[in-house]
Amino acid sequence: MLMASCNLVNSWNSPQLAPILGFKQVRIFNSLFSDSDSNRRNQRHAFLNMQQSQSVSDAKIPHVLTVAGSDSGAGAGIQADLKACAARRVFCSTVITAVTAQNTVGVQGVEILPDDVVAQQLKSVLSDMHVDVVKTGMLPSLSVVKILCQSLRKFPVKALVVDPVMVSTSADVLVGSSVLAGFREELFPMADIVTPNIKEASLLLGDVPLQSVSDMRRAAKLIHDMGPRNVLIKGGDLHASLDAIDVFFDGEEFYELRSSRVKTCNTHGTGCTLASCIAAELARGSSMLSAVKVAKHFVETALDYSKDLVIGNGPQGPFDPLLALKNIDQSSYRQKRLFDPNDLLVYAVTDSNMNKKWGRSVDEAVKAAVEGGATIIQLREKDAETREFIESAKACLKICHSYGVPLLINDRIDVALACDADGVHVGQSDMPARLARSLLGPEKIIGVSCKTPEQAEQAWIDGADYIGCGGVYPTSTKANNRTIGLDGLKEVCKASKLPVVAIGGIGLSNAHDVMELGVPNLKGVAVVSALFDRECILTETRNLHSVVSRAALLVK
């Protein structure tokens, strides 16, 4: 009967459903299908309720308004903001403050728009279009700063991101000194974050030289004293450092955000893009720390992708945040940007011994899991030879990508590189996440196993994308694994700045209890034997998806 029910459910995995529901919704529908007529009616009601809840949440499109100058070369300014928001899948409206004539050589002219035109644009957008976040770029006069502040007091928004544009990438001065007073006295006290580069921070502080990370920390504290809730000092121009180091200060703690320095001249518009990405992530509901981290990874990925582009004859070329200008396979670049914490909902971890026990290959097991509704797969094949592991991983990657599901490799960075997997998951005794990030690049997904708030904090600092927390309950799949219980899981979730997936002894009987903890960054459950030590993986995955997705909706 079990095998018969598997075949019955397979009939619902028809590609014809995808255009109607979308691939992820097909998986949800599959997970709610039941052999029992009464259960099927109840499950369908749950599915319809979930669809209604989803349609309500989808009705509000995240919206960023950028107030900035136009760049005729399209590398920076309004044009960069539009591209960054489009890449982050956020709607972007515009208020143009000035029109510049510029290219890859420099700025040849600036025409400031009349104050009343700027005011009219602000009123038109803010009074009608339900803006979530306002991001500022070039504010060319004190009067424009005042008009903006007045407009925001009349039409409040969730967040204000201020990129205090004073000097372009090509070292051209874009605003007069009178604007500085407006920044300090009026705009900064309203800002949720300001994002000056080293040159701009120096100007804001009266030409104080900034030559080290310690100087950047002091500058962040002094600028924070001017009123903004958070400060990000961008250290791309700190050439003495091998890494690109930014300093983030939230009023209490400093964070040094490091990434690999990309060797390229195509850096025009990096500051605009970073600030717009922060604004976009805030509009989507991210915390400030998370938004800053995503933005930094996003810019690094775009710079790496664009490092060899040739546009214009000058020394500062534009880069491509849309990752669309090169005639190459862009899937690996896009993967990082498409990583969604909600993909952690049903996190399936394979086990070679269980597959042997039930007489199936790893790719057969993975295919059944994704058909049943697994939202992410981790290959944990401890006993496989390297060559065999790589070939299996390639086959599984093809299966996962056909369903839009990411595939991660447990521990083995070499295998992840060889098969171009979507990322890796590492433990506390494995390669550090920071080193894994340097090897895999900014576009890959990196998860870290954590049992304590301290380990969760270190994972965030090292550049991980999520943490796996457990074991929540005793489990037979990992020897000598200390359990932390629901209380320990909740403690780590509250301390973590990253999304969390719970792992360890979780199955149908207790998955609801785990998700019912009610902490916003607990995104799902990771399971091994509850799926792979069963006769029909597809049925078990479908049932687990039903339980976890319902619990997640109730928590929301």
Side-chain angles (χ1 to χ4, degrees):
M1 280 300 293
L2 280 173
M3 294 305 295
S5 67
C6 284
N7 292 331
L8 178 64
V9 175
N10 270 326
S11 67
W12 287 97
N13 285 296
S14 169
Q16 284 81 1
L17 284 176
I20 302 170
L21 298 176
F23 283 110
K24 286 195 174 182
Q25 290 171 322
V26 168
R27 295 204 307 273
I28 293 171
F29 191 89
N30 291 338
S31 73
L32 295 176
F33 184 85
S34 170
D35 296 326
S36 162
D37 288 340
S38 60
N39 283 343
R40 183 161 59 245
R41 286 193 295 271
N42 293 334
Q43 302 272 17
R44 283 175 175 169
H45 282 304
F47 178 77
L48 291 173
N49 289 337
M50 182 165 60
Q51 289 295 94
Q52 290 169 356
S53 299
Q54 183 177 348
S55 66
V56 170
S57 64
D58 288 347
K60 177 64 177 77
I61 297 173
H63 185 165
V64 169
L65 165 62
T66 172
V67 184
S70 171
D71 173 1
S72 59
I78 288 285
Q79 289 84 349
D81 299 339
L82 286 167
K83 287 184 281 188
C85 287
R88 300 308 302 170
R89 300 181 178 180
V90 170
F91 183 79
C92 184
S93 55
T94 63
V95 168
I96 298 176
T97 60
V99 177
T100 69
Q102 60 179 299
N103 52 26
T104 61
V105 177
V107 179
Q108 291 80 45
V110 178
E111 184 69 29
I112 298 174
L113 269 64
D115 289 352
D116 60 335
V117 174
V118 175
Q120 287 171 359
Q121 293 178 80
L122 282 165
K123 183 177 180 181
S124 292
V125 178
L126 290 171
S127 65
D128 171 60
M129 300 183 71
H130 307 291
V131 173
D132 294 302
V133 178
V134 169
K135 176 264 174 188
T136 72
M138 181 182 177
L139 304 177
S141 67
L142 179 58
S143 58
V144 167
V145 173
K146 290 180 178 290
I147 289 169
L148 174 62
C149 292
Q150 291 167 2
S151 299
L152 291 176
R153 281 189 282 268
K154 186 175 181 180
F155 302 103
V157 294
K158 291 179 181 178
L160 172 61
V161 177
V162 175
D163 183 18
V165 174
M166 291 173 276
V167 183
S168 72
T169 304
S170 54
D172 294 285
V173 177
L174 299 176
V175 300
S177 58
S178 63
V179 177
L180 296 180
F183 282 164
R184 297 189 192 103
E185 296 169 13
E186 297 204 42
L187 192 60
F188 284 7
M190 299 180 70
D192 292 273
I193 185 170
V194 296
T195 63
N197 59 32
I198 285 181
K199 296 174 185 176
E200 291 160 348
S202 176
L203 286 172
L204 287 167
L205 298 174
D207 291 322
V208 172
L210 304 179
Q211 299 174 339
S212 66
V213 174
S214 296
D215 291 342
M216 292 169 65
R217 283 174 168 253
R218 283 191 291 271
K221 175 65 170 66
L222 291 170
I223 293 173
H224 186 270
D225 291 340
M226 297 177 188
R229 293 177 179 84
N230 301 275
V231 178
L232 179 69
I233 307 290
K234 298 172 294 191
D237 293 325
L238 194 68
H239 295 298
S241 171
L242 295 176
D243 293 333
I245 304 174
D246 299 339
V247 172
F248 177 81
F249 181 56
D250 62 7
E252 295 182 0
E253 294 185 67
F254 290 95
Y255 299 89
E256 293 180 12
L257 308 178
R258 296 172 179 265
S259 62
S260 301
R261 187 179 291 278
V262 180
K263 294 182 179 180
T264 180
C265 293
N266 297 328
T267 58
H268 183 49
T270 49
C272 303
T273 301
L274 181 77
S276 293
C277 185
I278 292 172
E281 293 305 308
L282 293 175
R284 294 171 61 179
S286 295
S287 68
M288 185 62 73
L289 286 167
S290 176
V292 169
K293 183 186 173 191
V294 167
K296 184 168 176 65
H297 283 167
F298 173 79
V299 171
E300 184 187 8
T301 299
L303 282 173
D304 184 62
Y305 172 84
S306 309
K307 60 189 176 186
D308 298 322
L309 291 178
V310 179
I311 300 175
N313 301 312
Q316 296 287 343
F319 68 108
D320 177 21
L322 293 170
L323 310 182
L325 297 179
K326 292 167 68 173
N327 186 25
I328 63 172
D329 178 11
Q330 299 158 28
S331 60
S332 63
Y333 286 97
R334 289 180 175 171
Q335 181 59 49
K336 173 66 184 177
R337 287 164 52 198
L338 294 177
F339 172 62
D340 183 349
N342 292 318
D343 286 340
L344 301 174
L345 185 71
V346 177
Y347 188 128
V349 183
T350 67
D351 185 282
S352 54
N353 290 327
M354 293 176 189
N355 288 331
K356 289 176 183 177
K357 172 183 174 182
W358 291 98
R360 55 194 167 220
S361 64
V362 63
D363 50 314
E364 288 172 338
V366 166
K367 188 174 189 293
V370 295
E371 285 183 350
T375 52
I376 192 166
I377 298 288
Q378 180 192 136
L379 288 189
R380 189 169 72 180
E381 300 295 306
K382 297 291 187 182
D383 301 327
E385 296 291 336
T386 298
R387 186 184 296 274
E388 176 189 353
F389 196 172
I390 291 171
E391 292 306 313
S392 295
K394 287 179 179 179
C396 292
L397 190 68
K398 186 175 181 180
I399 293 167
C400 287
H401 283 189
S402 70
Y403 286 83
V405 172
L407 177 78
L408 310 184
I409 305 297
N410 178 264
D411 297 352
R412 297 287 299 273
I413 309 293
D414 57 333
V415 174
L417 286 167
C419 71
D420 195 25
D422 297 307
V424 296
H425 185 93
V426 295
Q428 289 296 315
S429 60
D430 300 320
M431 180 182 291
R434 185 178 176 190
L435 181 54
R437 173 67 69 204
S438 68
L439 292 171
L440 294 174
E443 72 277 6
K444 298 299 185 180
I445 302 167
I446 294 180
V448 180
S449 297
C450 299
K451 291 182 181 291
T452 67
E454 292 76 18
Q455 291 173 350
E457 174 71 13
Q458 190 61 49
W460 186 85
I461 293 170
D462 286 347
D465 294 291
Y466 74 91
I467 64 171
C469 185
V472 179
Y473 301 108
T475 175
S476 59
T477 59
K478 203 165 187 179
N480 303 316
N481 186 31
R482 179 175 65 88
T483 58
I484 61 173
L486 292 176
D487 290 340
L489 172 63
K490 191 170 187 177
E491 180 186 13
V492 172
C493 287
K494 286 184 174 180
S496 176
K497 301 178 181 72
L498 296 171
V500 180
V501 59
I503 189 168
I506 299 172
L508 277 175
S509 63
N510 55 24
H512 186 276
D513 296 336
V514 173
M515 296 301 296
E516 208 174 30
L517 283 178
V519 281
N521 60 341
L522 178 58
K523 298 299 183 181
V525 297
V527 290
V528 187
S529 58
L531 300 184
F532 296 105
D533 198 14
R534 299 292 187 272
E535 184 174 356
C536 185
I537 295 173
L538 189 149
T539 298
E540 298 300 329
T541 311
R542 182 193 69 204
N543 292 339
L544 182 66
H545 193 297
S546 175
V547 170
V548 177
S549 59
R550 285 180 185 174
L553 283 173
L554 290 174
V555 169
K556 290 180 180 180

